[in-house]
Amino acid sequence: MGVLDQSVSLIKGVGPKRVEVLNSLGIETIQDLITYYPFRYDDVSEKNISEINDQEKVVLKGFPLSEAVVNYYGYKKNRLTFRMMVDEAVVSVTFFNQAFLKDKVRASEELAVYGKWDAKRKSLTGMKIIATSQGEEDFSPIYHVNKKIRQKTLVDLIRQTWELFQDEVEETLPNWLLEKYRLMPRKDAIQAMHFPDTVQDNQQARRRLAFEEFFLFQLKMIELKREEQKGEAGLSVQYDLKELKRLIATLPFELTSAQKRVVNEICADLKSTSHMHRLLQGDVGSGKTIVAGLALYATVTAGFQGALMVPTEILAEQHMESLTELFQQFDVKIALLTSSTKAAAKRQILAELVAGEIDIIVGTHSLIQEDVIFKHLGLVITDEQHRFGVNQRKLLREKGGNPDVLFMTATPIPRTLAITAYGEMDVSIIDELPSGRIPIETSWILPKQVDIALRNMQRLMKQGQQVYVICPLIEESEMLDVKNATEIYEHLADFFAPDFNVGLLHGKMKPQEKEVIMSAFKENELQVLVSTTVIEVGVNVPNATTMMIMDADRFGLAQLHQLRGRVGRGAIASYCILVASPKSEQGKERMKIMTETTDGFKLSEKDLEMRGPGDFFGNKQSGLPEFKVGDMVADSQMLEVARTEAILLWSQKEWWLLPENQELARQLHLEVTQMDYFD
Ligand code: ADP
Ligand code: MG
């Protein structure tokens, strides 16, 4: 272990308290600290107001002429305003929905505000108040901090640490790569991330570090695949084709040709001794569950056990239900194991699992607990794979003699990203919906039109149909989510009383409470279900034909699409109503696209084009690897180059023994063992 891998407590002046604060930012080692890069740079050069372009983002320094005034308006919205003397001019500053900044604005105390300049009105729409001392450099790095540590404190700490430890930084990339792509040395690059001399300097640093990230990632992916292949051979699941056909014949519908194709692909994997590592992608409603059921049954006919792991209890119960129905006339024993399974029942399930009496087990995280032991596990399927970390999946896989693994996901990842994101995984795609589906009709309305929409819903409910109302995600706080959902729930309960019953579902409820509400909705005891996004994945209530999504512009397109997939599951026409008043052109464009297409792949490509993957996939749910510096979209060409070079390197025999590749090999090995790149 090098010095840089030591804890930050080694740094002078960093005591236990500081260590804790740094840990809260994800910084544990000295290495973490010096590679904790700014997420943006502000141009804080002092500009004359007349030089600033309209809509340009700038930092203005000045003296407030008075305290800030806060006005509350509309639905939980507020506006904070004050006037500020900047040089000789009076500028008006407005912050939206940041009333908490009020205390920071004091008359005649110097202040620096970062925001967008409106040249005509001579006003600034504030985004952030920054420490005035930051204005010392023209191109000032801004770091993510939290309540426990200030920007300036962190900058000072990084500077001090850098001065002491910069000589410990080793080059990771071999010379031939540095030369081939004219990349900056690692040490210079880190320095230019924190303390750039020029913008160009900083861009070169980014380029170098992004390349390194991509390259190491690709090397690791290839290594993993090789490990898996050289390990013990996968199982050969000799399933009974006749039996499988007998099951297919009992289905109330014909499989789509896409379903047939992917079932064939999966079956070929099952039979072969090579290890299955396959991703099944299919849009919401494309019929993945039945494919999973068929794969599990094939496994059972070969005398093996199958496991289906899902992220939520509701989903587990639902899969349990569909599978039970699927196997009605077949001799298959299925069990459900979740954290609410009672101790006695659990004991029995575990015993039957070891004894091989249970053929298929459906469950949540409970399936990867240590006490869950299989007799002969042949196939593991995880639904909505992005919710599980790689480690969790690995644990489950290790429960058997190297069973085949199938990941299912409805997140339509654009093809261009899929290769890089899923690396060496095989991909099956269901690119066709069952015939006879009536496409969901999506409309976009403004908040003031909600009551009209509610009356339309009432009409549909009188015909016996049911409705979802989805409440926005408020990123800052789960408590706000709940409060907001509760308010909407109360309003609707009032609106629809006494003819219809309204239920509420949110993330803070206990699993049992959720279950009660969910089953009441399924039984049509509740006609309206108000919910935060907990219903996002997999819920199947075909009688629910309308979904209204409040503040729809707060969601990514992919998530809207997922949510929308909860309706349109039956034979009746269904509707999705987006309620939003986006301000930007792009926001409007996004709502429009939703009304124009129901094709998840098209949406994902469109969204990617407009906003980049981070925005599209939302926070950490994407299943895409996260890079510190690299941007999979903006730097996609570099990603390709890194991939090509990684493949080339692995094609050289024992490349890791060459002296020039030593540091690379060390990095790779170190990281591979700690890696959890899908989270
Ligand atoms: P998802 O891919 O979102 O998991 P599901 O497996 O839940 O989709 O399928 C959605 C609905 O479509 C279910 O009610 C299922 O029974 C039905 N379904 C699946 N395949 C077909 C098919 N080939 N023809 C008609 N209906 C189908
Ligand atoms: Mg599903």
Side-chain angles (χ1 to χ4, degrees), residues 63-74:
F63 297 88
L65 295 169
S66 61
E67 287 191 351
V69 178
V70 178
N71 285 304
Y72 292 87
Y73 65 102

Side-chain angles (χ1 to χ4, degrees), residues 191-211:
Q191 163 131 0
M193 288 299 282
H194 296 295
F195 321 107
D197 286 333
T198 62
V199 177
Q200 289 77 7
D201 193 34
N202 179 259
Q203 280 166 352
Q204 285 304 319
R206 265 204 77 252
R207 188 171 147 267
R208 136 91 219 199
L209 293 168
F211 182 89

